[in-house]
Amino acid sequence: APNLADPFGKLLRFNDDGTIPTDNPFYAARSGQARAAWADGLRNPYTFAVQPGTGRIHINDVGESTWEEIDVGAAGANYGWPVITYGREYYGPKIGEGAKKDGMEQPVAYWVPSISPSAMTFYSGTVFSKWQGDIFIGNLSGAHIRRIKIKNNKVIEQHELLKNLGLRFRNLRTGPDGFLYLSTDDGKIARLDR
């Protein structure tokens, strides 16, 4: 992840015609594909979602079996992988230098142990008015939908939904009718109702 010439561990930013924006944070200092890097230091940026009203990108970074996190995207930000992390190697030892270091961003939320997050979306419907703008994350090994309320880039509430079903949730989106739609690893598509 720390090598800007390598696309792994990055959030890449392109124009809609496939060219690299000249205002990317590393454009002037790099050449070739490295110019496409918008943020680095991510382990496995699995999904991201844009927060309505603010345009902030929230990144769902998948860790080892012991940790995952959500980061708020910022141009040129370094999220620290593998120098800092809250996780451990699959076989036990700590990774990197610790959990914090100057110049490296802290996550908005992280989970130890892992919940295996999959898709992420901001709820934008009107059916569940109290959930307007909340993040919803599908979880695989965690077998639930996690609702997260964020205020001023801080998590103020988290709730686990549908955990009693024991399903691996793969994707979720707000439908045009304002309901939240979910899909599972075993081929189910469902609508979350009141």
Side-chain angles (χ1 to χ4, degrees):
N3 179 1
L4 284 174
D6 190 328
F8 294 105
K10 314 285 182 297
L11 193 62
L12 305 176
R13 182 173 172 248
F14 293 92
N15 293 312
D16 58 7
D17 65 358
T19 59
I20 299 171
T22 57
D23 65 344
N24 270 4
F26 305 107
Y27 189 90
R30 303 289 176 194
S31 62
Q33 284 299 110
R35 291 178 164 185
W38 189 77
D40 72 335
L42 297 158
R43 182 183 182 272
N44 183 5
Y46 195 74
T47 58
F48 68 89
V50 178
Q51 185 178 32
T54 69
R56 286 190 197 107
I57 296 171
H58 287 63
I59 307 160
N60 185 358
D61 197 14
V62 175
E64 310 79 12
S65 60
T66 60
W67 144 90
E68 267 99 23
E69 68 186 40
I70 294 179
D71 300 300
V72 176
N78 181 345
Y79 297 96
W81 173 262
V83 177
I84 62 169
T85 177
Y86 288 88
R88 293 180 170 271
E89 294 284 4
Y90 287 101
Y91 57 95
K94 289 184 178 181
I95 301 167
E97 301 172 10
K100 297 180 181 179
K101 187 171 183 174
D102 287 346
M104 295 182 178
E105 302 296 320
Q106 283 293 298
V108 159
Y110 68 93
W111 300 280
V112 176
S114 166
I115 57 174
S116 303
S118 56
M120 175 170 63
T121 191
F122 283 89
Y123 178 70
S124 58
T126 56
V127 173
F128 307 105
S129 58
K130 291 183 180 178
W131 293 353
Q132 186 75 32
D134 289 357
I135 294 175
F136 283 80
I137 299 176
N139 293 281
L140 302 172
S141 68
H144 69 277
I145 301 293
R146 185 167 293 250
R147 180 178 70 84
I148 303 168
K149 186 175 285 299
I150 292 181
K151 185 174 182 181
N152 299 323
N153 285 338
K154 300 242 187 267
V155 173
I156 59 171
E157 282 181 41
Q158 288 191 58
H159 299 280
E160 295 178 359
L161 307 173
L162 308 178
K163 189 165 183 129
N164 61 325
L165 301 177
L167 297 170
R168 291 169 54 91
F169 293 97
R170 180 61 64 178
N171 205 349
L172 59 151
R173 292 286 178 264
T174 305
D177 57 2
F179 288 93
L180 194 62
Y181 285 82
L182 322 162
S183 69
T184 65
D185 270 6
D186 61 349
K188 291 181 175 67
I189 296 178
R191 184 177 81 173
L192 189 62
D193 207 333
R194 286 179 272 199

